[in-house]
Amino acid sequence: MKIAIQREDFDAGAEARALSDGNAEVGAVASFVGLVRERNDGAAVSTMTLEHYPGMTEKAIRTIVDEARVRWQIIDCTVIHRVGELRPTDQIVLVAVASGHRGDAFAACAFIMDYLKTQAPLWKKEATPEGARWVDARASDDASAARWAPAPTKDRAA
Amino acid sequence: MKVKVLFFASLREQVGRAAEEIELPADVSTVGALRAHLVARGGAWRTALADVRRLRAAVNQDMAPPEVALRTGDEVAFFPPVTGG
């Protein structure tokens, strides 16, 4: 498992390939990349600055991945989240999950993203023509995380 | 009891500091009581910390509801709902 919080950009293709490299058990790799949009809530975004809580961010993401492992068969997983100043079209976040089959890979990837958006201590500040503003948490993000049913018992995941 | 308190994002800007060591009065022994203790400072503290719907807390880097008990040396963080991803 790889969890990284970094200022630098990442190569999503290389990260996804690394998850299956030399491991013939892997039958599926699902990945998600989040990008900086040029418009948010009706305003043009010139830059987006991401702040985080060093230490807790990594710990929170590890907890989310551990929770995903209880629910689905995951062979390996990479989560990279960038911090600092980003611009429209820049990559923000990568979640990539390797599994035996696509169902587990797709579901675990979506679950990790949904929980990352509500549990990992990261905050976005946008620069717009009207000035800088902190992005408001969305009720729809809480709803996305809440749609996942409580974790099944461990024996199902085994 | 002394704790380290951290502030992030909009909260950090509102209260004008990122971190502070606080010696707690004897009756302040939970996350919720610490929040009320800080709100009582008034001004920007009240503005930043009064609305619990827009406030989250962590103790020793785990999300913590108001009833979580504090121990000396704890790292307590206050911040707005998260917006990463």
Side-chain angles (χ1 to χ4, degrees):
Chain A
M1 176 175 24
K2 171 179 170 181
I3 294 169
I5 308 299
Q6 61 189 43
R7 301 184 77 86
E8 304 75 40
D9 199 9
F10 51 81
D11 180 339
E15 297 291 345
R17 279 193 299 281
L19 286 178
S20 60
D21 198 24
N23 187 345
E25 283 179 44
V26 176
V29 176
S31 66
F32 171 87
V33 176
L35 306 163
V36 181
R37 266 192 316 275
E38 64 180 355
R39 293 190 73 79
N40 190 34
D41 289 336
V45 174
S46 54
T47 63
M48 171 180 281
T49 305
L50 276 135
E51 174 174 333
H52 80 123
Y53 181 173
M56 180 171 168
T57 313
E58 295 86 341
K59 189 177 180 183
I61 293 173
R62 208 173 304 121
T63 301
I64 295 163
V65 172
D66 287 346
E67 174 70 22
R69 282 182 186 278
V70 173
R71 294 165 178 248
W72 298 284
Q73 185 251 354
I74 296 175
I75 294 170
D76 202 358
C77 170
T78 292
V79 180
I80 300 174
H81 205 300
R82 295 179 70 194
V83 292
E85 188 177 293
L86 303 175
R87 295 176 178 281
T89 74
D90 281 353
Q91 303 187 113
I92 306 172
V93 59
L94 167 73
V95 176
V97 178
S99 184
H101 302 276
R102 73 183 186 286
D104 284 339
F106 274 133
C109 186
F111 173 91
I112 291 166
M113 254 327 285
D114 283 348
Y115 272 82
L116 187 151
K117 287 189 85 85
T118 58
Q119 300 295 315
L122 290 137
W123 302 274
K124 290 173 180 154
K125 190 178 193 179
E126 298 171 335
T128 75
E130 292 79 42
R133 64 181 188 189
W134 289 96
V135 174
D136 265 335
R138 293 175 195 271
S140 60
D141 287 339
D142 284 331
S144 292
R147 74 194 164 101
W148 297 97
T153 52
K154 289 249 181 189
D155 53 299
R156 181 193 156 273
Chain B
M1 169 163 73
K2 189 180 263 188
V3 297
K4 183 179 184 184
V5 186
L6 307 178
F7 305 97
F8 289 96
S10 52
L11 247 69
R12 172 179 52 75
E13 291 183 350
Q14 283 177 291
V15 304
R17 69 191 64 174
E20 183 180 354
E21 297 265 343
I22 303 179
E23 181 68 45
L24 299 178
D27 60 335
V28 176
S29 60
T30 64
V31 171
L34 172 57
R35 184 192 69 84
H37 180 64
L38 294 172
V39 165
R41 288 175 170 177
W45 294 91
R46 177 174 294 279
T47 310
L49 296 163
D51 184 357
V52 293
R53 289 167 308 171
R54 302 180 57 80
L55 188 69
R56 298 289 181 273
V59 174
N60 299 328
Q61 306 191 348
D62 285 318
M63 289 284 192
E67 62 272 19
V68 168
L70 299 177
R71 284 183 287 189
T72 197
D74 277 349
E75 179 176 291
V76 186
F78 290 103
F79 44 79
V82 305
T83 56

